[in-house]
Amino acid sequence: MVTQAPGSPDASRGSAAGLSRAELDALRVRELVACHIRLHELIGRDAPLTAVLTELVEGVERYEPSVIPCVVLLNRETNTLHPGAGPSLPPDWLGALDGLVIGPNIGSCGAAAWSGELAISEDMAVDPKWEPVRDFAAACGLRHCWSMPIAGADGDVLGTFALYGRQPRHPSPDHLELMQDSARLAGIAIERRLTMEKLIHDARHDSLTGLPNRRAIFEELETALPQTSSAAAAVMFVDLDGLKGVNDSLGHDRADEMIREIAGRLRTAVRGPDFVGRFGGDEFVIIATEIADRPQAAELAERVLEAVSRPMPGVGFPAMTASIGIAMITQTCDAPEAIRRADRAMYATKHAGRDAFQFDDGVIRAQSRRLVMARALHGAEMRGEMRLVFQPVFDFRRDNIAGVEALLRWCHPEFGEVSPAEFIPVAEESRAIIALGAWVLRESCELIGALSEQTGQPLELSVNSSACELARKGYATSVRQTIAHARFPVALLNLEVTETTLIGSDAATTRNLQELESLGVGIVLDDFGTGYSSLSVLKQHRIRGIKIDRGFIAGLPDDRVNHAIVAGVIGIARGMGCTVTAEGIENSCQKDALHAMDCERGQGFLLARPMTSKALTVLIHEAGAKQQARPAG
């Protein structure tokens, strides 16, 4: 080994190099400490979170240039990651991180956020956690990723602090300590920001309902008023009728439940840009800045009244109504004056009888027919206003009645007979269809089950099922219980649904359909051809039958386009092995054209009109007698 004498030139150079490295290391440490001091100053000044996190990662990168640091934030509600800071990472990579759902095998950051523990990928090219984005990572020049969870004071994961690199390697103890310190500082900054956001939110929101409070209402009005032109906005003061009686009879806790329920209904009753706040007690304010005129304001008020008056969930809650005052406002009106005008109109509504709305000029708007219907539909079946009729479906090949469709009819005490085309959409919008649908299914199963026993002829029963029924949790279970109670053969029950219901189905609808199909209930596509006519729907579900909409049958036999569409649907149904029914057959020419196309079933006024169960019994007996009278062969 060659040694250097003290004081020799080589020894001096070596000492100088060692001293230089020590000075550089000390400089790096001082810079890191200075960065931490700046971070605490930024946090103390309540600087934007992005600025704090950017200072943190840039300071780490200056201290250790061989790594690329970043912070990703965790959204606890959606369990997704979102970039917090990572200025040296490729923008495309940060974009790929945005919205990433965490999991044990979702990269290093996804795994660290999911487990709450350090996740190390020494080489992303071979780590299974990175397989979905391995090529993308390589294109971005990234090979390793070490991710440390960022925890809050309560231990909940707030995000992760990660160090990327362009070569495969394992973190050194210095790297681990650096990540731990950085994650701690990031946690302080994130928690401070979350705390401030909560304080700001709580200062402007009501603790019971979560709606904006009185302070926020005035702030919103002050912002909205300069943006209005003449008669282009409305302020509605909504006061619940009779809440004091609920307080006195049921107690404050139940009254609070009602207020929370009403607050949720108001949110859904208004339009997207409308503002809803709780003014205090049982009073709410709605600010509608995109109201063109009084009729539009009246339409919105009607929706609010209908939403408030729907039956309350649970047992023992009385029906609730509201009185509404409406002030049409312009730029010449300030926020306190707008509230005073709407408030005066609301009190005038109360004095005039409640459960209505009034404009601040003293003009009381009578309740519309649609609003009256929406309210009357709730409980109409229990009051004996509803009845069922049945329209036969004929089997052309066997020349007999194959089944019936249950149809709902309503006789309103004031309006008389209301067309289903008018009241069914109102029932669906007000969700009265859920109770009505359950009643129709129960009544029709019992009536047709008894009729089949009496006549000795089993009949298929078709019942319409709305989108909101199918989307309701437990719908399939309620259908199963209903047919079991009525002792109706499940193989003879068809639920008719529209194409749009299947195409726009959510998870609950899909689950209900799958359970119904497994149960043996038939799914029939109603009014086929009037929706999107998506053939993929026919592949996704076990469809028992297709009903061709009457609009295509009306053009037969002369309209070539309608003829081609009907023939095509019949061919699709035959190829799938499901039944096909033509709706709305009104003359013999249409029937003959369908016979020529080998349509299996038909329904319409030419064949039989909707009738009571008694009339249906007579028709079945007559049809049976005719068949017996025919000569054999």
Side-chain angles (χ1 to χ4, degrees), residues 177-192:
E177 185 177 353
L178 181 64
M179 293 171 67
Q180 204 164 27
D181 288 344
S182 300
R184 179 180 55 80
L185 285 169
I188 293 171
I190 295 168
E191 274 206 311
R192 171 67 178 256

Side-chain angles (χ1 to χ4, degrees), residues 546-568:
I546 296 174
K547 299 186 78 171
I548 307 174
D549 183 71
R550 64 182 63 247
F552 299 109
I553 306 303
L556 297 180
D558 299 325
D559 190 303
R560 290 188 302 170
V561 174
N562 282 347
H563 191 284
I565 291 172
V566 172

Side-chain angles (χ1 to χ4, degrees), residues 567-591:
V569 175
I570 292 171
I572 290 172
R574 186 181 297 116
M576 292 177 57
C578 62
T579 62
V580 60
T581 303
E583 296 183 287
I585 302 174
E586 296 184 353
N587 59 59
S588 56
C589 292
Q590 293 169 351
K591 182 181 176 183

Side-chain angles (χ1 to χ4, degrees), residues 470-487:
L470 277 166
R472 187 171 62 87
K473 184 179 179 181
Y475 175 67
T477 301
S478 67
V479 171
R480 177 178 56 79
Q481 292 171 342
T482 298
I483 58 180
H485 177 76
R487 297 181 180 178

Side-chain angles (χ1 to χ4, degrees), residues 221-437:
L221 263 176
E222 294 291 353
T223 302
L225 283 168
Q227 301 173 5
T228 62
S229 55
S230 62
V235 174
M236 298 185 183
F237 205 100
V238 182
D239 186 274
L240 304 182
D241 300 325
L243 189 68
K244 184 179 184 301
V246 177
N247 265 323
D248 294 342
S249 60
L250 300 179
H252 289 283
D253 289 345
R254 303 301 294 280
D256 285 349
E257 286 182 44
M258 291 190 72
I259 290 174
R260 276 193 295 266
E261 173 69 20
I262 295 298
R265 293 182 183 187
L266 293 180
R267 284 192 192 99
T268 57
V270 299
R271 307 159 309 160
D274 296 338
F275 173 93
V276 182
R278 185 185 181 199
F279 199 73
D282 56 358
E283 298 172 332
F284 299 86
V285 169
I286 297 171
I287 303 170
T289 55
E290 296 183 14
I291 291 289
D293 48 31
R294 290 163 64 100
Q296 262 197 342
E299 182 183 345
L300 178 57
E302 286 179 356
R303 287 209 306 272
V304 170
L305 288 175
E306 189 281 321
V308 171
S309 66
R310 289 201 300 266
M312 289 286 167
V315 179
F317 281 118
M320 183 61 63
T321 59
S323 299
I324 302 177
I326 307 174
M328 302 300 290
I329 58 174
T330 65
Q331 292 173 327
T332 59
C333 176
D334 64 12
E337 177 62 20
I339 292 292
R340 281 194 294 270
R341 285 169 51 190
D343 189 32
R344 283 197 301 266
M346 180 274 295
Y347 274 109
T349 304
K350 279 194 179 293
H351 292 150
R354 304 185 174 190
D355 191 20
F357 63 91
Q358 179 171 328
F359 287 90
D360 63 327
D361 58 6
V363 178
I364 299 177
R365 293 294 298 261
Q367 294 177 1
S368 70
R369 175 183 171 97
R370 185 179 183 86
L371 180 59
V372 173
M373 281 198 303
R375 296 184 176 183
L377 279 167
H378 291 287
E381 74 282 3
M382 305 302 294
R383 298 191 297 270
E385 299 171 12
M386 294 290 179
R387 71 183 191 281
L388 288 178
V389 293
F390 300 92
Q391 186 169 25
V393 177
F394 288 83
D395 187 322
F396 291 147
R397 295 172 180 174
R398 295 181 176 83
D399 195 22
N400 66 359
I401 299 174
V404 294
E405 179 182 359
L407 301 170
L408 188 60
R409 296 292 184 262
W410 184 26
C411 183
H412 186 273
E414 178 185 347
F415 302 139
E417 290 290 334
V418 184
S419 167
E422 182 180 10
F423 78 78
I424 291 296
V426 178
E428 290 178 342
E429 183 178 320
S430 65
R431 298 186 69 79
I433 196 68
I434 292 175
L436 290 174

Side-chain angles (χ1 to χ4, degrees), residues 13-14 42 62 71 75 84 95 105-106 120 155 170 173 199 208 277 286 303 345 371 426 454 474 518 520 569 579 616:
R13 282 196 296 270
L42 289 170
R62 287 191 296 270
V71 174
N75 184 322
N105 295 305
I106 310 296
I120 295 174
H170 191 277
L199 288 172
L208 177 63
I286 297 171
R303 287 209 306 272
L371 180 59
V426 178
Q454 182 182 347
S518 300
V569 175
T579 62
L616 180 61

Side-chain angles (χ1 to χ4, degrees), residues 589-612:
C589 292
Q590 293 169 351
K591 182 181 176 183
D592 292 343
L594 291 164
H595 267 298
M597 286 185 275
D598 197 23
C599 182
E600 184 178 353
R601 297 182 177 186
Q603 183 179 4
F605 285 179
L606 175 70
L607 306 174
R609 289 177 175 268
M611 59 188 70
T612 65

